Amino acid sequence: MEYEEKVEEENLTIVGELILLGFSDLPNLQGFLFGIFLIIYMSILMGNGLIIVITMVDPTLQTPMYFFLGNFSFLEICYTSVTLPRMLTNLWTQNRAISLMACAMQLSFFLILGVTESFLLVVMAYDRYVAICKPLYYPLVMNHKVCVQLVVVSWIVGIPGQVVQTYKVISLPFCFNELNHVFCDVSPLLELACGDTSVQEFSVYAFAVLLGMLPFLTIIGFYFKIITTILKLPLVIGRRKAFSTCSSHLIVVGLFYGSGIITYLIPKSSQSEIKNVLSLFYTIVTPMFNPMIYSLKNKDVIAALKKLLMKILA
């Protein structure tokens, strides 16, 4: 017994920095990956930036739905900026080291913004629920003050819990310093920890259920009521218009939660092979497609973009 404890103490390493392995197993594609991720990041900044601008300057888009869309686009820029610039730097310099403090900061912002996205998606679903199911009360219920309060709550609700979550994970003793991931995330960090991490793992899944699944189920509940109300509409044109205003949001919800749920539910044994792809999907690919999803299916957004382009080119 004493020998085992001594061996465990000898294996315990005080880790000051971590190595993000990421795509290190593809040495010949580092330049290509840098170019691809740079294009993706620029498209995220430009696409979501355009959405922010038009929702602020176009008078026809001064409604709660577009107010939330503008905030959502700003969130997507922040969300990808937590991970993508670091990935680009690692690919360009081939220096994959990250200090434990920088890793903690990245993890904390990543978790907080992930929770913010979950709750902002709930707020957007609630907006559509009130607009379709209670149209006469919509101007009263979704006034500007309420909209601002809902957005502020979405941004701050995850801060305390996720800061504590980050502290619990980062304060663990690490036996290894090679992180088999493209950025600092909870599950890969727990794999580096010494000893039993079952308590921390339970905490991770508890927070995932509380701050991830509950918002998702709330969105499902809102859309169940929305679809039930739409099907009762007498005119086919009215149904089509109502479905059109909700379809973009439903696609974004499906992309975000679908990839996130799969990432948490797949077995640990197979997670290492596909977790990088899945994490990139809901942290990078989804934010890149969001502006296209909302603009291509929305005549008001397309009209506002055309007016903005005409002003720029005039």
Side-chain angles (χ1 to χ4, degrees):
M1 190 70 174
E2 290 180 1
Y3 174 76
E4 291 178 358
E5 289 178 358
K6 186 176 181 181
V7 169
E8 188 174 339
E9 287 178 6
E10 289 176 354
N11 288 336
L12 184 63
T13 306
I14 298 175
V15 176
E17 66 177 19
L18 302 172
I19 307 297
L20 292 168
L21 295 180
F23 301 102
S24 59
D25 57 338
L26 302 171
N28 298 326
L29 295 177
Q30 299 298 296
F32 174 75
L33 289 172
F34 175 83
I36 292 294
F37 287 131
L38 181 61
I39 293 170
I40 290 174
Y41 189 45
M42 295 304 295
S43 66
I44 290 171
L45 294 179
M46 290 188 292
N48 286 285
L50 272 175
I51 296 292
I52 294 169
V53 171
I54 62 171
T55 54
M56 290 178 65
V57 302
D58 195 291
T60 61
L61 302 184
Q62 303 300 308
T63 63
M65 183 174 77
Y66 296 110
F67 174 73
F68 295 135
L69 178 58
N71 277 275
F72 188 73
S73 294
F74 176 69
L75 170 64
E76 294 292 59
I77 290 174
C78 296
Y79 196 41
T80 52
S81 296
V82 171
T83 56
L84 253 178
R86 185 90 200 188
M87 287 173 54
L88 289 170
T89 302
N90 292 348
L91 288 168
W92 180 258
T93 63
Q94 296 300 300
N95 179 12
R96 304 179 186 279
I98 182 172
S99 69
L100 204 59
M101 180 58 69
C103 184
M105 293 292 290
Q106 186 182 64
L107 176 62
S108 182
F109 280 112
F110 175 73
L111 293 176
I112 290 169
L113 293 174
V115 173
T116 301
E117 181 152 351
S118 292
F119 279 87
L120 200 51
L121 286 171
V122 173
V123 169
M124 295 170 78
Y126 175 68
D127 173 69
R128 293 299 82 208
Y129 162 73
V130 177
I132 293 172
C133 300
K134 302 178 184 295
L136 297 178
Y137 296 97
Y138 185 72
L140 180 65
V141 175
M142 301 303 294
N143 60 68
H144 184 68
K145 183 180 178 181
V146 170
C147 292
V148 172
Q149 289 173 342
L150 289 172
V151 168
V152 170
V153 170
S154 298
W155 277 91
I156 66 174
V157 69
I159 294 176
Q162 298 310 320
V163 169
V164 172
Q165 188 89 322
T166 300
Y167 175 76
K168 286 182 178 179
V169 173
I170 293 296
S171 61
L172 289 170
F174 294 115
C175 290
F176 312 97
N177 70 335
E178 292 187 341
L179 191 68
N180 188 22
H181 206 43
V182 290
F183 57 87
C184 292
D185 201 358
V186 175
S187 297
L189 282 168
L190 289 177
E191 293 175 9
L192 305 182
C194 303
D196 184 19
T197 61
S198 57
V199 175
Q200 285 77 14
E201 287 180 20
F202 175 79
S203 176
V204 168
Y205 283 100
F207 271 94
V209 170
L210 181 63
L211 300 176
M213 287 305 296
L214 282 182
F216 176 66
L217 294 175
T218 304
I219 293 171
I220 296 298
F222 280 136
Y223 273 103
F224 176 78
K225 294 180 180 179
I226 288 170
I227 293 170
T228 302
T229 302
I230 290 174
L231 294 176
K232 292 178 182 178
L233 294 175
L235 298 176
V236 176
I237 297 175
R239 293 179 189 175
R240 191 176 301 166
K241 185 178 180 180
F243 272 121
S244 178
T245 61
C246 299
S247 58
S248 299
H249 184 246
L250 276 173
I251 293 170
V252 172
V253 169
L255 288 172
F256 178 73
Y257 280 104
S259 54
I261 289 171
I262 293 171
T263 302
Y264 275 95
L265 291 183
I266 55 175
K268 274 189 174 183
S269 57
S270 60
Q271 190 173 359
S272 59
E273 287 79 16
I274 61 176
K275 64 184 177 183
N276 286 351
V277 176
L278 284 171
S279 61
L280 289 177
F281 194 83
Y282 69 84
T283 58
I284 296 175
V285 178
T286 302
M288 180 181 67
F289 283 113
N290 282 348
M292 288 182 277
I293 292 169
Y294 279 107
S295 60
L296 291 176
K297 297 181 68 64
N298 193 306
K299 294 179 180 179
D300 293 334
V301 173
I302 293 173
L305 283 170
K306 287 180 179 178
K307 283 194 287 184
L308 181 63
L309 289 174
M310 288 176 65
K311 286 181 180 180
I312 295 172
L313 297 174

